[in-house]
Amino acid sequence: MSQWLAFSTQLVGIRDPHQLVTQFISLLDQEMELNDSLLLLPSPDGRNVASHDQPATYSWSVVDFDVPFAHVLQSRQSKSYTADELIFWRSNRHFAQLAERVGMFDSLRLQPLPMESDSVHSILVTIGSSKVLSDTFADDDFKTFLNVFSQQWSLLNEMAKKEQRQKQMKESLSDIQEVTEQNSLLVNLANKMIGKSSVMHKLRQQILSAASSNLSVMIQGETGTGKELVAQAIHDFSSRKHKPFVAVNCAAIPEHLLESELFGYCKGAFSGADSDKLGLIAQADGGTLFLDEIGDMPLTLQAKLLRVLEAHTFRPLGGKQELHSDFRLVSATHVQLQNHVSRKEFRQDLYYRLLQYPISIPSLAQRKGDLADLCDFFIQEYNQKNGTHIRGIHYQALDALEQYSFPGNVRELKHLIEFSCVQTSNNCQIELDSFENRFQSFNESLLPMSTTEELSDEKRRLAMGKQEVVDDLKQALNDFEAKIISERLARFDGDRAKTAESLGIPKRTLAYKCQKLEIEA
């Protein structure tokens, strides 16, 4: 058996494309004593060819035909050049460097592979003795060797492409599954964090993102926005959901007791410590520790908390041994901690340790579009707890609520709805008068904010003496409101949607006022 047929059997057993090319080139160099040899691979778009090695030693563009590889790709025929013939191609600097390897009795041969095929998957470049190259490429056993290489190369590349397609399909399915799971989590979270507004959608995404990490989360928001609800959701949607969620309000526990609550104590640590007590940090092991109103934590305790966060070890009061607790910290505050830091009332190093993942909860004033959904949710919740059947909230009552600033945010709304439900009979809707007296008793106004601003301007004009004396204030206010609405409707050619938007009130509120004030649009 000729050596080329023996070499063919070696190639058939190789299963790695890179190893196949390396062995193929090595056998050529060894048997033909070549000056140089390489395999050029066309790019997917056919505009370039590059050598097989990684990273590629050689690379040429085949668009402008300033190198002979372009002619080989187009004609699918082999080309052979002597040193004298290569002078024509030396204008390309990189090809000239390759051509310098061709001696006086040598030639450079370009062989498209597979041989005698309509497609070219590679170009074999060999530089060596002209006679050896001519004799070898005329050898039938050598041609068989080249064909075996080409077939094995195609087979391995097809297998690699198939594996790549399978990998991409798995990744695609994994991405689809991840998106599906994410959407499912968002749906589940939407049942806990009520609201369809863009700010609530963003908040739910932040909660899921924070839940998937192990970073310390700082929740900032006004009083009544639901900071503990967000903290609980972060825990419930995290990998720690089956472990404890331990919550403590730092402002509700006296300063001298907060340390013992967090760290626990050993028997005899102080007067009254009759037995060991497990602290909240130890109770949160594996789960989540939620520190609400952390801005009220004493400075001395802040330093100890920072050490626990860094090392996850702590020592109970009166204890002699360090204990370990693997908890995830979520903290919350309604104040601007940065201002506390600037006044030296809060440690800067702890502030940045807590602020690894900040989340801001929007106030109810920033998400007025969620009022209807929130009201329905609280009404249903009230019905389930009390066995009642309140049918919802009348649109006039809802319109009035939409004009209120809600300084107490969602908590205030919940209490207001519960109060209104008490005032409402079964199978009836919540009416405006069910909570109107409550606002009047607290000297709060349900007037639209835009109208209030207009009235402020009117008061200024009254103060300047540019208004006649008013005998009936209620009628004067109605007349003034009717005048504003009529002028605004005229400005927008009767378009109630634009008029309502310019006044900062819902369209249905405008419709109600037009009916009440007998305004024709």
Side-chain angles (χ1 to χ4, degrees):
M1 180 188 294
S2 79
Q3 76 275 23
W4 295 116
L5 295 179
F7 293 156
S8 298
T9 60
Q10 294 182 25
L11 299 182
V12 172
I14 298 175
R15 292 292 179 265
D16 178 73
H18 179 72
Q19 183 182 351
L20 176 69
V21 175
T22 302
Q23 180 68 6
F24 173 68
I25 295 297
S26 175
L27 292 172
L28 292 177
D29 291 343
Q30 172 186 323
E31 292 302 312
M32 299 168 66
E33 298 181 354
L34 299 174
N35 298 341
D36 204 350
S37 61
L38 62 145
L39 193 70
L40 295 180
L41 307 175
S43 61
D45 59 7
R47 299 175 65 86
N48 300 278
V49 292
S51 55
H52 67 279
D53 48 344
Q54 297 294 331
T57 305
Y58 297 101
S59 178
W60 291 279
S61 169
V62 291
V63 176
D64 299 328
F65 288 85
D66 62 343
V67 287
F69 313 123
H71 297 274
V72 174
L73 287 172
Q74 186 180 54
S75 66
R76 296 185 290 278
Q77 299 293 324
S78 62
K79 302 285 183 182
S80 185
Y81 302 95
T82 63
D84 292 338
E85 292 170 332
L86 286 170
I87 293 175
F88 174 78
W89 301 101
R90 290 181 182 269
S91 59
N92 184 291
R93 181 170 60 88
H94 290 97
F95 184 76
Q97 292 176 354
L98 183 65
E100 288 176 355
R101 306 294 304 275
V102 182
M104 183 181 299
F105 302 104
D106 297 334
S107 61
L108 180 147
R109 185 181 178 97
L110 306 177
Q111 177 64 53
L113 297 176
M115 298 177 68
E116 301 177 357
S117 173
D118 292 335
S119 62
V120 177
H121 70 55
S122 60
I123 299 175
L124 175 60
V125 181
T126 51
I127 301 174
S129 166
S130 298
K131 184 178 186 313
V132 171
L133 289 177
S134 176
D135 292 345
T136 303
F137 276 89
D139 186 346
D140 289 338
D141 290 344
F142 180 73
K143 292 178 182 179
T144 300
F145 172 73
L146 293 181
N147 286 330
V148 168
F149 165 75
S150 297
Q151 291 172 7
Q152 188 70 1
W153 170 259
S154 299
L155 176 63
L156 294 181
N157 275 278
E158 186 58 37
M159 291 171 61
K161 290 178 182 178
K162 185 177 180 179
E163 289 178 4
Q164 182 65 22
R165 286 194 296 268
Q166 290 176 341
K167 181 181 178 182
Q168 290 174 346
M169 185 175 295
K170 287 182 180 179
E171 290 175 351
S172 179
L173 290 173
S174 177
D175 290 343
I176 293 173
Q177 184 178 1
E178 184 177 344
V179 170
T180 302
E181 290 176 355
Q182 185 80 355
N183 290 335
S184 177
L185 289 174
L186 284 171
V187 170
N188 292 336
L189 189 54
N191 295 327
K192 297 184 177 182
M193 310 293 297
I194 308 301
K196 300 185 181 72
S197 61
S198 59
V199 290
M200 284 303 293
H201 180 69
K202 180 180 178 181
L203 175 61
R204 287 192 288 266
Q205 289 182 320
Q206 285 183 311
I207 289 172
L208 293 182
S209 176
S212 64
S213 75
N214 205 37
L215 300 176
S216 296
V217 179
M218 167 67 76
I219 304 171
Q220 294 175 302
E222 297 177 6
T223 299
T225 50
K227 294 186 286 294
E228 184 167 351
L229 188 63
V230 171
Q232 181 73 59
I234 291 172
H235 173 77
D236 291 344
F237 288 90
S238 73
S239 59
R240 298 173 178 266
K241 60 186 176 183
H242 299 299
K243 296 294 183 176
F245 175 80
V246 179
V248 56
N249 189 322
C250 298
I253 301 176
E255 180 176 335
H256 65 282
L257 294 179
L258 184 57
E259 182 175 1
S260 62
E261 285 294 318
L262 287 175
F263 293 89
Y265 54 81
C266 296
K267 181 179 179 180
F270 50 83
S271 177
D274 300 327
S275 61
D276 294 347
K277 179 181 178 180
L278 197 64
L280 298 177
I281 291 176
Q283 294 177 34
D285 186 23
T288 302
L289 177 64
F290 174 52
L291 298 181
D292 197 6
E293 300 303 346
I294 196 169
D296 293 322
M297 179 176 284
L299 279 168
T300 53
L301 196 52
Q302 291 176 27
K304 295 182 178 181
L305 176 62
L306 179 63
R307 181 180 178 278
V308 175
L309 292 176
E310 296 295 342
H312 278 277
T313 58
F314 67 99
R315 182 176 297 178
L317 296 181
K320 297 180 180 180
Q321 292 182 339
E322 293 279 336
L323 302 180
H324 180 270
S325 180
D326 175 26
F327 63 90
R328 198 267 186 87
L329 181 67
V330 178
S331 57
T333 178
H334 73 283
V335 300
Q336 289 294 331
L337 273 187
Q338 201 165 12
N339 295 336
H340 281 46
V341 172
S342 63
R343 295 195 300 266
K344 308 296 184 183
E345 296 173 358
F346 199 88
R347 292 180 63 101
Q348 185 176 25
D349 47 5
L350 178 59
Y351 171 72
Y352 288 113
R353 182 62 177 78
L354 298 175
L355 206 68
Q356 289 181 340
Y357 199 116
I359 292 180
S360 295
I361 307 179
S363 65
L364 186 52
Q366 295 174 298
R367 45 180 295 223
K368 284 295 185 69
D370 294 332
L371 260 176
D373 290 335
L374 287 167
C375 288
D376 288 341
F377 176 80
F378 292 139
I379 291 171
Q380 292 175 17
E381 190 176 58
Y382 178 86
N383 285 334
Q384 290 174 359
K385 287 182 179 178
N386 297 278
T388 54
H389 188 260
I390 309 300
R391 292 196 298 111
I393 183 168
H394 194 275
Y395 76 90
Q396 292 180 1
L398 184 60
D399 286 344
L401 291 180
E402 287 176 344
Q403 310 314 309
Y404 180 54
S405 60
F406 281 102
N409 292 290
V410 179
R411 182 187 294 126
E412 182 182 7
L413 174 65
K414 179 181 180 181
H415 293 164
L416 180 63
I417 293 299
E418 290 174 345
F419 172 82
S420 301
C421 286
V422 173
Q423 314 300 313
T424 305
S425 302
N426 266 342
N427 299 311
C428 294
Q429 288 183 310
I430 294 175
E431 300 287 347
L432 176 59
D433 58 7
S434 68
F435 55 76
E436 198 170 28
N437 292 336
R438 178 188 173 102
F439 280 97
Q440 290 174 356
S441 65
F442 286 103
N443 295 320
E444 294 170 336
S445 173
L446 281 176
L447 282 173
M449 286 179 279
S450 56
T451 305
T452 304
E453 292 169 1
E454 299 277 9
L455 290 176
S456 298
D457 293 336
E458 183 66 11
K459 289 177 182 177
R460 284 194 290 271
R461 287 196 290 270
L462 283 169
M464 294 172 65
K466 295 184 178 181
Q467 184 73 18
E468 295 179 359
V469 176
V470 174
D471 296 324
D472 187 338
L473 178 60
K474 184 176 181 180
Q475 184 59 45
L477 289 173
N478 286 340
D479 292 343
F480 182 66
E481 192 173 9
K483 180 181 178 183
I484 292 173
I485 293 174
S486 298
E487 290 177 351
R488 201 63 60 89
L489 282 167
R491 183 190 303 177
F492 292 104
D493 297 325
D495 190 325
R496 289 194 174 188
K498 292 182 179 179
T499 300
E501 184 179 358
S502 71
L503 291 172
I505 61 176
K507 186 178 176 182
R508 57 186 174 186
T509 301
L510 178 64
Y512 167 70
K513 289 183 179 295
C514 287
Q515 182 181 9
K516 176 183 174 183
L517 300 173
E518 299 181 352
I519 300 172
E520 296 183 1

